[in-house]
Amino acid sequence: TQVIIDVNGYYIPNHFAFIAPDGTLNSGAGVVSTAHPGTGSYTVTFDKDLTGCAALATPSDNANQADIWARVSTDDPTTVELDVEKPDQANVQQDNEVFLHVVC
């Protein structure tokens, strides 16, 4: 019996962060640091360049709803910036637990 195996590609582990309302990291993968510079504002720094990656953020559960915007920072491509707002009031920031998933 002869077997030929051709592997094309490689495994890239998921990068994610579960952030507490005070900005501390509850759990995550590939996270270097987190910060909470102000109400409803968070930054999460990862261990790789995220250029071209998608940052997906959601509230942690159904009871703590929020509108969340996530984007890779233009100043530092290893950092994701999060803005969290009250769902019923535009431009009113609130602290919230957030789950952030980075897909590359």
Side-chain angles (χ1 to χ4, degrees), residues 33-86:
S33 66
T34 62
H36 180 47
T39 302
S41 178
Y42 302 89
T43 59
V44 183
T45 302
F46 289 92
D47 61 1
K48 68 178 231 166
D49 186 324
L50 303 175
T51 302
C53 298
L56 310 167
T58 59
S60 63
D61 59 48
N62 291 334
N64 297 312
Q65 291 298 304
D67 291 333
I68 304 171
W69 286 265
R71 64 194 165 278
V72 176
S73 172
T74 56
D75 296 330
D76 180 0
T78 65
T79 299
V80 174
E81 301 168 338
L82 300 165
D83 290 321
V84 182
E85 295 182 358
K86 293 184 178 184

Side-chain angles (χ1 to χ4, degrees), residues 4-44:
I4 297 174
I5 298 174
D6 183 10
V7 177
N8 186 8
Y10 55 93
Y11 173 74
I12 299 174
N14 285 326
H15 282 68
F16 73 92
F18 181 59
I19 309 297
D22 67 356
T24 58
L25 179 68
N26 286 337
S27 64
V31 178
V32 173
S33 66
T34 62
H36 180 47
T39 302
S41 178
Y42 302 89
T43 59
V44 183

